[in-house]
Amino acid sequence: MAARYQGIRTVEYDGKRVTYASDAEMAAALGDLNRQIIGTTARIAVVRIQSSKGL
């Protein structure tokens, strides 16, 4: 995200380099990555809260 906001089209990470043709291509790649991250996180379906007065 920082690279995109700075207008950088070539990103290097872990010894690998990726050059995007345009901002739209980088936006699509980031959107896909975000969808993958969201898809791997477990969603909490039920939250139970329990409290007592300590008696």
Side-chain angles (χ1 to χ4, degrees):
M1 295 299 289
R4 181 179 179 211
Y5 293 143
Q6 294 175 10
I8 298 171
R9 291 188 347 196
T10 300
V11 180
E12 188 170 338
Y13 180 76
D14 197 27
K16 299 175 184 174
R17 181 180 293 189
V18 177
T19 301
Y20 297 97
S22 65
D23 181 64
E25 186 180 47
M26 185 180 275
L30 287 170
D32 181 54
L33 182 59
N34 285 331
R35 282 188 295 278
Q36 289 180 31
I37 291 170
I38 290 170
T40 60
T41 57
R43 297 193 183 261
I44 298 173
V46 176
V47 176
R48 291 189 179 107
I49 299 173
Q50 181 178 355
S51 65
S52 71
K53 294 182 180 180
L55 299 175

